[in-house]
Coordinates of all heavy atoms in Angstrom, one line a residue:
M136 N 135.4 120.1 126.4 CA 135.7 120.2 125.1 C 135.3 118.9 124.3 O 135.7 117.8 124.7 CB 137.2 120.4 124.9 CG 137.7 120.5 123.5 SD 139.4 120.9 123.5 CE 139.5 121.8 122.0
P137 N 134.6 119.0 123.2 CA 134.1 117.8 122.6 C 135.2 117.2 121.7 O 136.3 117.7 121.5 CB 133.0 118.4 121.6 CG 133.4 119.8 121.4 CD 134.1 120.2 122.6
L138 N 135.0 115.9 121.3 CA 135.9 115.3 120.4 C 135.4 115.5 119.0 O 134.2 115.4 118.6 CB 135.9 113.7 120.6 CG 136.3 113.3 122.0 CD1 136.1 111.8 122.2 CD2 137.8 113.6 122.2
V139 N 136.4 116.0 118.0 CA 136.0 116.2 116.7 C 136.7 115.3 115.8 O 137.9 115.1 115.8 CB 136.4 117.7 116.4 CG1 136.0 118.1 115.0 CG2 135.8 118.7 117.4
S140 N 135.9 114.7 114.9 CA 136.4 113.8 113.9 C 136.6 114.7 112.6 O 135.7 115.4 112.1 CB 135.4 112.8 113.5 OG 135.9 111.9 112.5
I141 N 137.9 114.7 112.2 CA 138.3 115.6 111.0 C 138.9 114.7 109.9 O 139.7 113.8 110.1 CB 139.3 116.6 111.5 CG1 138.7 117.5 112.5 CG2 139.8 117.4 110.3 CD1 139.6 118.5 113.1
N142 N 138.5 114.9 108.7 CA 139.0 114.2 107.5 C 140.4 114.7 107.3 O 140.7 115.8 107.1 CB 138.1 114.5 106.2 CG 138.7 113.8 105.0 OD1 139.9 113.6 104.8 ND2 137.7 113.5 104.2
P143 N 141.4 113.8 107.5 CA 142.8 114.2 107.4 C 143.2 114.6 106.0 O 144.2 115.4 105.8 CB 143.6 112.9 107.8 CG 142.7 111.8 107.6 CD 141.3 112.3 107.7
A144 N 142.6 114.3 105.0 CA 142.9 114.7 103.6 C 142.4 116.0 103.3 O 143.0 116.8 102.5 CB 142.3 113.6 102.6
T145 N 141.2 116.4 103.9 CA 140.6 117.7 103.6 C 140.6 118.7 104.7 O 140.4 119.9 104.4 CB 139.2 117.5 103.1 OG1 138.4 117.0 104.2 CG2 139.1 116.6 101.9
G146 N 140.8 118.2 105.9 CA 140.6 119.1 107.1 C 139.3 119.5 107.5 O 139.0 120.2 108.4
I147 N 138.3 118.9 106.8 CA 136.9 119.2 107.0 C 136.3 118.3 108.2 O 136.6 117.1 108.3 CB 136.0 118.9 105.7 CG1 136.5 119.8 104.6 CG2 134.5 119.0 106.0 CD1 135.9 119.6 103.3
E148 N 135.6 119.0 109.1 CA 135.0 118.4 110.2 C 134.0 117.4 109.8 O 133.1 117.8 109.0 CB 134.4 119.4 111.1 CG 133.8 118.9 112.4 CD 133.2 120.1 113.2 OE1 134.0 120.9 113.7 OE2 132.0 120.1 113.3
I149 N 134.0 116.2 110.3 CA 133.0 115.1 109.9 C 131.9 115.1 110.9 O 130.7 115.1 110.6 CB 133.7 113.7 109.8 CG1 134.7 113.7 108.7 CG2 132.6 112.6 109.6 CD1 135.6 112.5 108.7
K150 N 132.2 115.1 112.1 CA 131.3 115.0 113.2 C 131.9 115.4 114.6 O 133.1 115.2 114.8 CB 130.7 113.6 113.3 CG 129.5 113.5 114.2 CD 128.8 112.2 114.1 CE 127.5 112.2 115.0 NZ 126.7 111.1 114.8
V151 N 131.1 115.9 115.4 CA 131.5 116.3 116.8 C 130.9 115.4 117.8 O 129.6 115.1 117.7 CB 131.1 117.8 117.1 CG1 131.5 118.1 118.5 CG2 131.8 118.7 116.1
Y152 N 131.6 114.8 118.7 CA 131.1 113.9 119.7 C 131.3 114.5 121.1 O 132.4 115.1 121.4 CB 131.8 112.6 119.7 CG 131.7 111.8 118.3 CD1 132.6 112.1 117.3 CD2 130.7 111.0 118.1 CE1 132.5 111.4 116.1 CE2 130.5 110.4 116.9 CZ 131.4 110.6 115.9 OH 131.3 109.9 114.7
P153 N 130.4 114.5 122.0 CA 130.6 115.0 123.3 C 131.5 114.1 124.1 O 131.5 112.9 123.9 CB 129.2 115.0 123.9 CG 128.4 114.0 123.1 CD 129.0 113.9 121.8
K154 N 132.3 114.6 125.0 CA 133.1 113.8 125.9 C 132.2 113.4 127.1 O 131.4 114.1 127.5 CB 134.3 114.6 126.4 CG 135.4 114.7 125.4 CD 136.6 115.3 126.2 CE 137.8 115.3 125.3 NZ 139.1 115.9 125.9
H155 N 132.6 112.2 127.6 CA 132.0 111.7 128.8 C 132.7 112.1 130.0 O 134.0 112.1 130.0 CB 131.9 110.2 128.8 CG 131.0 109.6 127.6 ND1 129.6 109.8 127.7 CD2 131.2 108.9 126.6 CE1 129.1 109.3 126.6 NE2 130.0 108.7 125.9
S156 N 132.0 112.4 131.1 CA 132.7 112.6 132.4 C 133.3 111.3 132.9 O 133.0 110.2 132.4 CB 131.7 113.2 133.4 OG 130.8 112.2 133.7
K157 N 134.2 111.5 133.9 CA 134.7 110.2 134.5 C 133.6 109.3 135.1 O 133.7 108.1 135.0 CB 135.7 110.6 135.6 CG 137.0 111.2 135.1 CD 138.0 111.5 136.2 CE 139.3 112.1 135.6 NZ 140.3 112.4 136.6
S158 N 132.6 110.0 135.7 CA 131.5 109.1 136.3 C 130.7 108.5 135.2 O 130.3 107.3 135.4 CB 130.6 110.0 137.2 OG 130.0 111.0 136.5
E159 N 130.5 109.1 134.1 CA 129.8 108.5 132.9 C 130.6 107.3 132.4 O 130.0 106.3 132.1 CB 129.6 109.5 131.8 CG 128.5 110.5 132.2 CD 128.4 111.7 131.1 OE1 129.4 112.1 130.6 OE2 127.3 112.1 130.9
V160 N 131.9 107.5 132.3 CA 132.7 106.4 131.8 C 132.7 105.2 132.7 O 132.5 104.1 132.3 CB 134.2 106.9 131.6 CG1 135.1 105.7 131.3 CG2 134.3 107.9 130.4
Q161 N 132.7 105.5 134.0 CA 132.7 104.4 135.0 C 131.4 103.7 135.0 O 131.3 102.4 135.1 CB 132.9 105.0 136.4 CG 133.1 103.9 137.5 CD 134.2 103.0 137.1 OE1 135.4 103.4 137.0 NE2 134.0 101.6 137.1
L162 N 130.3 104.4 134.8 CA 128.9 103.8 134.7 C 128.9 102.9 133.5 O 128.4 101.7 133.5 CB 127.9 104.8 134.6 CG 126.5 104.4 134.4 CD1 126.0 103.5 135.5 CD2 125.5 105.5 134.2
I163 N 129.4 103.3 132.4 CA 129.5 102.6 131.1 C 130.3 101.3 131.3 O 129.9 100.2 130.9 CB 130.0 103.4 129.9 CG1 129.0 104.5 129.6 CG2 130.3 102.5 128.7 CD1 129.6 105.5 128.7
L164 N 131.5 101.4 132.0 CA 132.3 100.2 132.2 C 131.6 99.2 133.1 O 131.6 98.0 132.9 CB 133.6 100.7 132.8 CG 134.6 101.4 131.9 CD1 135.7 102.0 132.7 CD2 135.0 100.6 130.8
D165 N 130.9 99.8 134.2 CA 130.2 98.9 135.1 C 129.1 98.2 134.4 O 128.8 97.0 134.6 CB 129.6 99.7 136.3 CG 130.7 100.3 137.2 OD1 131.8 99.8 137.2 OD2 130.3 101.3 138.0
Q166 N 128.4 98.9 133.5 CA 127.3 98.3 132.7 C 127.8 97.2 131.8 O 127.2 96.2 131.6 CB 126.5 99.3 132.0 CG 125.7 100.3 132.8 CD 125.1 101.4 132.1 OE1 125.6 101.8 131.1 NE2 124.0 101.9 132.6
S167 N 129.0 97.4 131.3 CA 129.6 96.5 130.3 C 130.0 95.1 131.0 O 129.8 94.1 130.5 CB 130.8 97.0 129.6 OG 131.9 97.2 130.4
I168 N 130.4 95.2 132.3 CA 130.8 94.1 133.1 C 129.5 93.3 133.4 O 129.5 92.0 133.3 CB 131.5 94.5 134.4 CG1 132.9 95.1 134.1 CG2 131.5 93.3 135.4 CD1 133.5 95.8 135.3
V169 N 128.4 94.0 133.7 CA 127.1 93.2 133.9 C 126.7 92.6 132.7 O 126.2 91.4 132.7 CB 126.1 94.2 134.5 CG1 124.7 93.6 134.5 CG2 126.5 94.7 135.9
A170 N 126.7 93.3 131.6 CA 126.2 92.8 130.3 C 127.1 91.6 129.9 O 126.5 90.6 129.4 CB 126.3 93.9 129.2
Q171 N 128.4 91.6 130.1 CA 129.2 90.4 129.7 C 128.8 89.2 130.5 O 128.7 88.1 130.0 CB 130.7 90.7 129.9 CG 131.6 89.8 129.3 CD 131.9 88.5 130.2 OE1 131.8 88.6 131.4 NE2 132.1 87.4 129.5
K172 N 128.5 89.4 131.8 CA 128.2 88.2 132.7 C 126.8 87.6 132.1 O 126.7 86.4 132.2 CB 128.0 88.7 134.1 CG 129.4 88.9 134.7 CD 129.3 89.4 136.2 CE 130.7 89.8 136.7 NZ 130.7 90.3 138.1
I173 N 125.9 88.5 131.8 CA 124.6 88.0 131.2 C 124.9 87.3 129.8 O 124.3 86.3 129.6 CB 123.6 89.2 131.1 CG1 123.3 89.8 132.4 CG2 122.4 88.7 130.2 CD1 122.5 91.0 132.4
W174 N 125.7 87.9 129.0 CA 126.0 87.4 127.7 C 126.5 86.0 127.8 O 126.2 85.1 127.0 CB 126.9 88.3 126.9 CG 127.3 87.9 125.6 CD1 128.6 87.3 125.3 CD2 126.6 87.9 124.4 NE1 128.6 87.0 123.9 CE2 127.4 87.3 123.4 CE3 125.3 88.3 124.1 CZ2 127.0 87.3 122.1 CZ3 124.9 88.3 122.7 CH2 125.7 87.7 121.8
K175 N 127.5 85.7 128.7 CA 128.2 84.5 128.7 C 127.2 83.4 129.2 O 127.5 82.2 129.0 CB 129.4 84.5 129.6 CG 129.2 84.5 131.1 CD 130.5 84.4 131.9 CE 130.2 84.3 133.3 NZ 131.4 84.1 134.1
E176 N 126.1 83.7 129.8 CA 125.2 82.7 130.3 C 124.0 82.5 129.2 O 123.1 81.7 129.3 CB 124.5 83.1 131.6 CG 125.5 83.2 132.7 CD 126.2 81.9 133.0 OE1 125.6 80.9 132.8 OE2 127.5 82.0 133.4
T177 N 124.1 83.3 128.1 CA 123.0 83.3 127.1 C 123.2 82.1 126.2 O 124.3 81.7 125.9 CB 123.1 84.6 126.2 OG1 123.0 85.7 127.1 CG2 122.0 84.6 125.2
D178 N 122.1 81.5 125.7 CA 122.2 80.3 124.9 C 123.0 80.6 123.7 O 123.0 81.7 123.1 CB 120.7 80.0 124.5 CG 120.7 78.8 123.6 OD1 120.9 77.7 124.1 OD2 120.4 78.9 122.4
I179 N 123.9 79.6 123.3 CA 124.7 79.7 122.2 C 124.0 80.0 120.8 O 124.5 80.8 120.0 CB 125.6 78.5 122.0 CG1 126.7 78.7 121.0 CG2 124.9 77.2 121.6 CD1 127.8 79.6 121.4
S180 N 122.8 79.5 120.7 CA 122.1 79.7 119.4 C 121.7 81.2 119.3 O 121.7 81.8 118.2 CB 120.9 78.8 119.3 OG 119.9 79.1 120.3
F181 N 121.4 81.8 120.5 CA 121.1 83.3 120.5 C 122.3 84.1 120.1 O 122.3 85.0 119.3 CB 120.5 83.7 121.8 CG 120.3 85.2 121.9 CD1 119.3 85.8 121.3 CD2 121.3 86.0 122.6 CE1 119.1 87.2 121.3 CE2 121.1 87.4 122.7 CZ 120.0 88.0 122.1
R182 N 123.5 83.7 120.7 CA 124.7 84.4 120.4 C 125.1 84.3 118.9 O 125.5 85.2 118.3 CB 125.8 83.9 121.3 CG 125.6 84.4 122.7 CD 126.8 84.1 123.6 NE 126.7 82.8 124.1 CZ 127.7 82.1 124.8 NH1 128.8 82.7 124.9 NH2 127.4 80.9 125.2
Q183 N 124.9 83.1 118.4 CA 125.1 82.8 116.9 C 124.2 83.7 116.1 O 124.7 84.3 115.1 CB 124.9 81.3 116.6 CG 126.1 80.5 117.1 CD 125.8 79.0 116.8 OE1 124.6 78.6 117.0 NE2 126.8 78.3 116.4
S184 N 123.0 83.9 116.5 CA 122.1 84.7 115.8 C 122.5 86.1 115.8 O 122.4 86.9 114.8 CB 120.7 84.5 116.4 OG 119.8 85.5 115.8
C185 N 123.0 86.6 116.9 CA 123.5 88.0 117.0 C 124.7 88.2 116.1 O 124.8 89.3 115.4 CB 123.9 88.3 118.5 SG 122.5 88.4 119.6
L186 N 125.6 87.3 116.0 CA 126.7 87.4 115.1 C 126.3 87.4 113.7 O 126.9 88.1 112.9 CB 127.7 86.3 115.4 CG 128.5 86.4 116.7 CD1 129.4 85.1 116.9 CD2 129.4 87.6 116.7
E187 N 125.3 86.5 113.3 CA 124.8 86.5 112.0 C 124.2 87.9 111.6 O 124.4 88.4 110.5 CB 123.8 85.4 111.8 CG 124.4 84.1 111.8 CD 123.3 82.9 112.0 OE1 122.1 83.2 111.9 OE2 123.8 81.7 112.1
N188 N 123.5 88.5 112.5 CA 122.9 89.9 112.3 C 124.0 90.9 112.2 O 123.9 91.7 111.3 CB 122.0 90.3 113.5 CG 120.7 89.4 113.5 OD1 120.3 88.9 112.5 ND2 120.0 89.4 114.7
M189 N 125.1 90.8 112.9 CA 126.2 91.7 112.8 C 126.8 91.6 111.3 O 127.2 92.5 110.7 CB 127.3 91.5 113.8 CG 126.8 92.0 115.2 SD 127.9 91.8 116.6 CE 129.5 91.6 116.0
T190 N 127.0 90.3 110.9 CA 127.5 90.0 109.6 C 126.7 90.7 108.5 O 127.2 91.4 107.7 CB 127.6 88.5 109.3 OG1 128.5 87.9 110.3 CG2 128.2 88.2 108.0
C191 N 125.4 90.5 108.6 CA 124.4 91.1 107.6 C 124.5 92.6 107.7 O 124.5 93.3 106.6 CB 123.0 90.6 107.9 SG 122.7 88.9 107.5
T192 N 124.5 93.2 108.9 CA 124.6 94.6 109.0 C 125.8 95.2 108.4 O 125.8 96.2 107.7 CB 124.5 95.0 110.5 OG1 123.2 94.6 110.9 CG2 124.5 96.5 110.6
L193 N 127.0 94.6 108.7 CA 128.3 95.0 108.2 C 128.2 95.0 106.6 O 128.7 96.0 106.0 CB 129.4 94.2 108.7 CG 129.8 94.5 110.1 CD1 130.8 93.4 110.6 CD2 130.5 95.9 110.3
R194 N 127.7 93.9 106.1 CA 127.7 93.8 104.6 C 126.6 94.7 104.0 O 126.9 95.4 103.0 CB 127.4 92.4 104.2 CG 128.6 91.5 104.5 CD 128.6 90.1 104.0 NE 130.0 89.5 104.2 CZ 130.1 88.3 104.6 NH1 129.0 87.5 104.9 NH2 131.3 87.7 104.8
D195 N 125.5 94.9 104.6 CA 124.5 95.7 104.1 C 124.9 97.2 104.1 O 124.5 98.0 103.2 CB 123.2 95.7 104.9 CG 122.4 94.3 104.7 OD1 122.8 93.6 103.8 OD2 121.5 94.1 105.5
R196 N 125.7 97.6 105.1 CA 126.1 99.0 105.3 C 127.6 99.2 104.9 O 128.2 100.2 105.2 CB 125.9 99.4 106.7 CG 124.4 99.4 107.1 CD 124.2 99.9 108.4 NE 124.6 101.3 108.6 CZ 124.8 101.8 109.8 NH1 124.5 101.2 111.0 NH2 125.2 103.1 110.0
S197 N 128.2 98.2 104.2 CA 129.7 98.3 103.9 C 130.1 99.6 103.2 O 131.1 100.2 103.6 CB 130.1 97.1 103.2 OG 129.5 97.0 101.9
K198 N 129.3 100.0 102.2 CA 129.7 101.2 101.4 C 129.7 102.4 102.4 O 130.6 103.2 102.4 CB 128.8 101.4 100.2 CG 129.1 100.4 99.2 CD 128.3 100.6 97.9 CE 128.7 99.6 96.9 NZ 127.6 98.9 96.3
E199 N 128.6 102.6 103.2 CA 128.5 103.7 104.0 C 129.6 103.7 105.1 O 130.2 104.7 105.4 CB 127.1 103.6 104.7 CG 126.9 104.5 106.0 CD 125.7 104.1 106.7 OE1 124.9 103.3 106.4 OE2 125.5 104.7 107.8
L200 N 129.9 102.5 105.7 CA 130.9 102.4 106.7 C 132.3 102.6 106.1 O 133.1 103.3 106.7 CB 130.8 101.0 107.4 CG 129.5 100.8 108.2 CD1 129.4 99.4 108.6 CD2 129.4 101.8 109.3
A201 N 132.5 102.1 104.9 CA 133.8 102.2 104.3 C 134.1 103.8 104.0 O 135.2 104.2 104.1 CB 133.9 101.4 103.0
V202 N 133.1 104.5 103.5 CA 133.3 105.9 103.2 C 133.6 106.6 104.5 O 134.6 107.5 104.5 CB 132.0 106.5 102.6 CG1 132.0 108.0 102.6 CG2 131.8 106.0 101.2
L203 N 133.0 106.4 105.6 CA 133.2 107.0 106.9 C 134.7 106.6 107.3 O 135.4 107.5 107.8 CB 132.2 106.5 107.9 CG 132.4 107.1 109.3 CD1 132.4 108.6 109.3 CD2 131.4 106.5 110.3
M204 N 135.0 105.3 107.2 CA 136.4 104.9 107.6 C 137.4 105.6 106.8 O 138.5 106.1 107.3 CB 136.6 103.4 107.4 CG 135.9 102.6 108.5 SD 135.9 100.8 108.1 CE 137.6 100.5 108.1
S205 N 137.2 105.8 105.5 CA 138.2 106.5 104.6 C 138.2 107.9 105.0 O 139.4 108.5 104.9 CB 137.8 106.3 103.2 OG 137.9 104.9 102.8
Q206 N 137.1 108.6 105.3 CA 137.1 109.9 105.6 C 137.9 110.2 106.9 O 138.7 111.1 107.1 CB 135.7 110.5 105.7 CG 135.0 110.6 104.4 CD 133.5 111.0 104.6 OE1 132.9 110.8 105.6 NE2 133.0 111.6 103.5
E207 N 137.6 109.3 107.9 CA 138.2 109.5 109.3 C 139.7 109.1 109.3 O 140.5 109.7 110.0 CB 137.5 108.7 110.3 CG 136.1 109.3 110.6 CD 135.4 108.7 111.8 OE1 135.8 107.6 112.1 OE2 134.6 109.4 112.4
M208 N 140.1 108.1 108.4 CA 141.5 107.7 108.6 C 142.3 108.1 107.4 O 143.6 107.8 107.4 CB 141.4 106.2 108.7 CG 140.9 105.7 110.1 SD 140.9 103.9 110.2 CE 139.2 103.5 110.3
G209 N 141.7 108.5 106.3 CA 142.5 108.8 105.1 C 143.0 107.6 104.3 O 143.9 107.7 103.5
K210 N 142.4 106.4 104.5 CA 142.8 105.3 103.9 C 142.0 105.1 102.6 O 140.9 105.7 102.5 CB 142.7 104.0 104.7 CG 141.3 103.6 105.1 CD 141.2 102.2 105.8 CE 142.2 102.0 106.8 NZ 142.1 100.7 107.4
P211 N 142.5 104.4 101.6 CA 141.8 104.2 100.3 C 140.5 103.5 100.6 O 140.4 102.6 101.4 CB 142.7 103.4 99.5 CG 144.1 103.7 100.0 CD 143.9 103.9 101.5
L212 N 139.5 103.8 99.8 CA 138.1 103.2 100.0 C 138.2 101.6 99.8 O 137.6 100.9 100.6 CB 137.2 103.7 99.0 CG 135.7 103.4 99.1 CD1 135.2 103.8 100.5 CD2 134.9 104.0 98.0
T213 N 139.0 101.1 98.9 CA 139.2 99.7 98.7 C 139.7 99.0 100.0 O 139.2 97.9 100.3 CB 140.0 99.3 97.5 OG1 141.3 100.0 97.7 CG2 139.4 99.8 96.2
Q214 N 140.6 99.6 100.7 CA 141.1 99.1 101.9 C 140.0 99.1 103.0 O 139.9 98.1 103.8 CB 142.3 99.8 102.5 CG 143.6 99.6 101.6 CD 144.8 100.4 102.1 OE1 144.7 101.0 103.2 NE2 145.8 100.3 101.4
S215 N 139.2 100.1 103.1 CA 138.2 100.2 104.1 C 137.1 99.1 103.8 O 136.7 98.4 104.7 CB 137.4 101.6 104.0 OG 138.4 102.6 104.4
L216 N 136.8 98.9 102.5 CA 135.8 97.9 102.2 C 136.4 96.5 102.5 O 135.6 95.6 103.1 CB 135.5 97.9 100.6 CG 134.6 99.1 100.2 CD1 134.7 99.2 98.7 CD2 133.2 98.7 100.7
G217 N 137.7 96.3 102.3 CA 138.3 95.0 102.7 C 138.3 94.8 104.2 O 138.1 93.7 104.7
E218 N 138.6 95.9 104.9 CA 138.5 95.7 106.4 C 137.1 95.4 107.0 O 137.0 94.6 107.8 CB 139.0 97.0 107.0 CG 139.4 96.9 108.4 CD 140.1 98.1 108.9 OE1 140.9 98.8 108.2 OE2 139.9 98.4 110.2
I219 N 136.1 96.0 106.4 CA 134.7 95.6 106.7 C 134.4 94.2 106.4 O 133.8 93.5 107.2 CB 133.8 96.6 106.1 CG1 133.9 98.0 106.7 CG2 132.3 96.2 106.3 CD1 133.3 99.1 105.9
E220 N 134.8 93.7 105.2 CA 134.5 92.3 104.8 C 135.3 91.4 105.8 O 134.8 90.3 106.2 CB 135.0 92.1 103.4 CG 134.7 90.7 102.9 CD 133.3 90.2 103.2 OE1 132.3 90.9 103.0 OE2 133.1 89.0 103.5
K221 N 136.5 91.8 106.1 CA 137.3 90.9 107.1 C 136.5 90.8 108.5 O 136.4 89.7 109.0 CB 138.7 91.5 107.3 CG 139.5 90.7 108.3 CD 140.9 91.2 108.3 CE 141.0 92.5 109.2 NZ 142.4 92.9 109.4
C222 N 136.0 91.9 108.9 CA 135.2 91.9 110.2 C 133.9 91.0 110.0 O 133.6 90.3 110.9 CB 134.9 93.3 110.6 SG 136.2 94.3 111.1
A223 N 133.3 91.2 108.9 CA 132.1 90.4 108.6 C 132.4 89.0 108.6 O 131.6 88.1 109.2 CB 131.3 90.9 107.3
S224 N 133.5 88.6 107.9 CA 133.7 87.2 107.9 C 134.1 86.6 109.2 O 133.9 85.4 109.5 CB 134.9 86.9 106.8 OG 136.1 87.5 107.3
L225 N 134.7 87.4 110.1 CA 135.0 86.9 111.4 C 133.8 86.7 112.3 O 133.8 85.9 113.3 CB 135.9 87.9 112.2 CG 137.4 88.0 111.6 CD1 138.1 89.1 112.3 CD2 138.1 86.7 111.8
C226 N 132.6 87.2 111.9 CA 131.5 87.0 112.7 C 130.7 85.8 112.2 O 129.7 85.4 112.8 CB 130.5 88.2 112.5 SG 131.1 89.7 113.2
E227 N 131.1 85.2 111.1 CA 130.4 84.1 110.5 C 130.7 82.8 111.3 O 131.7 82.6 111.8 CB 130.8 83.8 109.0 CG 130.3 84.9 108.1 CD 130.7 84.7 106.7 OE1 131.8 84.5 106.4 OE2 129.7 84.8 105.9

């Protein structure tokens, strides 16, 4: 059975996501452990560059992401925009 994202204000389906099997979840977790070990050995300037890119992406897509957050959680758009800005500022 897939996971369905539904707008709580309207009851309208936003998107359907497939569920992962236990083995798929375990593979993803195993890959994340390997990726973290590689990440911690990566040069700090590269990691800073990645965070700067994340900041730009969050700000560039803030309206799109805020609309999605508001649809999925039923929160006011201004709160969603504020949350995205908070996340972007933490990446700086």
Side-chain angles (χ1 to χ4, degrees):
M136 177 176 211
L138 298 171
V139 181
S140 177
I141 297 173
N142 182 324
T145 64
I147 295 172
E148 182 180 290
I149 298 169
K150 189 166 182 176
V151 177
Y152 300 92
K154 280 191 175 180
H155 293 294
S156 68
K157 288 182 181 183
S158 61
E159 289 171 322
V160 170
Q161 189 59 56
L162 177 62
I163 292 166
L164 291 172
D165 293 343
Q166 290 171 335
S167 70
I168 291 168
V169 171
Q171 191 279 328
K172 289 177 182 176
I173 294 168
W174 177 257
K175 77 176 187 175
E176 299 300 327
T177 305
D178 182 69
I179 189 71
S180 62
F181 174 76
R182 289 187 275 169
Q183 286 173 319
S184 175
C185 290
L186 289 172
E187 289 168 6
N188 288 339
M189 284 176 30
T190 299
C191 290
T192 299
L193 285 168
R194 289 190 173 132
D195 290 346
R196 297 181 60 194
S197 64
K198 288 184 180 131
E199 168 195 352
L200 296 170
V202 166
L203 179 60
M204 286 172 65
S205 292
Q206 288 175 340
E207 287 189 335
M208 295 183 241
K210 65 170 48 184
L212 189 59
T213 55
Q214 287 182 7
S215 296
L216 286 166
E218 195 169 325
I219 292 166
E220 180 52 37
K221 180 174 74 172
C222 291
S224 69
L225 290 172
C226 293
E227 291 181 308

